[in-house]
Amino acid sequence: MGLAASQARLLTITARKADCEFQSMRYSHQKIALSRNMTDISNEYQNSLNQTKLVYDYYGNNDKSLSLTYGLMMTPSELNGHMPILTTDSSGKIVLNTQYAAAARAAGIPQEGLGCLPSTTIRNKFLDELATVGIITPIAAESYKAVTYAQEMGLGTSDLVTSTVKQMNLQDMMDHYKLNGNWTSFGELSATTLKEKTGGDAVLYNGDETAGNGSVTLTDCKITDIIEGDLQYIVRVGDGDRESMAKKFETELTDLWEWMFEELATMLNVTGDAQIAGAIQVAESMTRELLEYSKHHTGFRDAAGDGHSTMNASAENQTTDKKNFAEFFGFNKNKARIQTSGYFGSVMLDRKGSAWNWKPREFASIDISNIAKAYLTYFAQYMEGGERYSDYKVDDETNKVSESHLIDENFMFDVLVEQGINTNQALNSGFYDAMFNQICLKGWVENANVDDEEYLQEMFQSGVLYISTCNDDGNYYQGNYSTNSFIKEVADEDAIAKAEAKYNTEKQKINSKEEVLDMKMKNLDTEISSLTTEYDTIKSVISKNIEKSFKRYDA
């Protein structure tokens, strides 16, 4: 080989050798990177061995298969005792997913809450909206709405109501309660018992049931007897004693009135609805005013003339300053009895003549049934929005029934009906009532991620979100997930198994890459060794050629 050719070959070998050494160094760096990856994968695997998850062990048998999820906590079942397990934030507000938040918003519940016990109307609206967003079915919503709204569920009680509420008119309500109502009896309601309160001779009439001097005696008087009857109490008073006797209807019959008000409130307050409670309060207050003789009456004047019994307008005289004290002149007892039923409050009868052989000839009377009907009318008026919006009214200026529009068969009352409800229906209704009550009182926030199991558990474990559960005293309390005896933190075996499978797969990939790199580096080492040998050989040839050239010229 000539000198020039040897030098060219030497340069080629040098370049190739440098390239091989560069490739070998690059492969070496790749192996170092793979080594770092292997370290990271190993650390991740080691960390996964400590990975935990939250499970719900309702039966207490250390079952680790049931993960804690938002759906489990917010869906009625035996697992949560048919009481919602609520997710709450640090301020105590209820955390709702997208569907629940939409239902609360559509039902008109502000995010800051209502701050008070809501009404049946809003509760039913909430159930309807749960059906709209698909949490429950429309059939289920109607079924739950038929169960009495448990207004105190989760607020001191966890007892479930198993009664349905139906709407009935007055007559149907009376018929139902006469058969099914467990009403407290006033006892004996008769002229004798009332005379013990007021003194003097008296009779008790029930519409046109009795004639002559007979009187009615109700030995087991119920509120239904008062409402359905026309019970008129007439008592004889002496000259100059009219006002004191009329006042006795207000003061001395207190036991009767208090019993009647209590029974009416029990009959009407079947749902705990705030509107109904308000209507009962107003009805009682307004009815008491009908009985307040001293508040409205400042005296009366005798009629002119002989006052003999007539039924024309001139025979009736009511002074302008008497709001609930009507005064009649010249009526015999039968006409007086009929006339009494046309008024509310105290009525004065001044009978001129001897048709009723009692002397003195003056009588005070009151229609007890009219007082009860006035109460029901005030109740209906309030429920329909007040006097401005309702056709029902009690004319407390004239106190005349004919000038009033008393409760009739068109007004519908809520009536409790015992029907042996399907257990699930009652339990599920109570579940959503408890949830609804907490949302209304505590307020709510929307979080679209709580349906994600991993996210929810991470928020619980990191202390960002809390769990609120119903205690034995029937109230909800907020706490860490560990305060719930059914929630357990256990090793996440599934996650560990997945991590191990990932580790083995990644390790195998790295090992395979290392083997390829090792083979390539071995080949490069062989090539570099070969190039080095050839480099030395050619370099030796070049040296000998140069040496021969110098010797030739030296000769």
Side-chain angles (χ1 to χ4, degrees), residues 224-291:
T224 49
D225 298 322
I226 300 289
I227 295 173
E228 286 196 312
D230 184 16
L231 294 168
Q232 303 158 38
Y233 178 49
I234 304 176
V235 63
R236 183 179 66 176
V237 299
D239 287 329
D241 193 30
R242 306 181 190 190
E243 293 186 27
S244 63
M245 180 52 65
K247 289 179 182 178
K248 287 180 181 292
F249 291 133
E250 173 190 351
T251 59
E252 301 298 335
L253 300 182
T254 299
D255 290 345
L256 174 64
W257 305 134
E258 295 302 326
W259 166 81
M260 186 171 71
F261 290 145
E262 184 175 345
E263 292 296 283
L264 286 168
T266 301
M267 176 181 290
L268 300 173
N269 192 20
V270 298
T271 63
D273 191 300
Q275 184 183 14
I276 290 179
I280 290 172
Q281 183 178 4
V282 170
E284 180 175 332
S285 175
M286 297 297 291
T287 305
R288 286 185 184 277
E289 285 196 21
L290 292 178
L291 301 172

Side-chain angles (χ1 to χ4, degrees), residues 167-178 224 227-228 264 267-268 372-373 376-377 392 406-413 415:
Q167 288 199 320
M168 299 181 184
N169 61 29
L170 180 61
Q171 187 58 57
D172 290 340
M173 181 172 71
M174 292 297 97
D175 292 341
H176 172 78
Y177 281 142
K178 282 189 293 185
T224 49
I227 295 173
E228 286 196 312
L264 286 168
M267 176 181 290
L268 300 173
K373 292 169 186 174
L376 294 174
T377 301
Y392 296 109
L406 299 183
I407 188 71
D408 57 26
E409 298 305 304
N410 293 320
F411 183 80
M412 305 301 288
F413 295 89
V415 180

Side-chain angles (χ1 to χ4, degrees), residues 5 25 27 56 63 86 248 292 312 393 470 479 530:
M25 181 179 65
Y27 292 152
Y56 196 77
D63 182 13
L86 301 171
K248 287 180 181 292
E292 291 181 9
N312 56 37
K393 72 170 183 174
C470 190
S530 175

Side-chain angles (χ1 to χ4, degrees), residues 2 24 35 56 60 166 198 204 227 281 286 338 399 440 460 511:
S24 179
S35 178
Y56 196 77
K166 286 189 174 182
T198 62
L204 178 69
I227 295 173
Q281 183 178 4
M286 297 297 291
I338 295 170
N399 269 9
C440 289
F460 285 148
N511 288 339

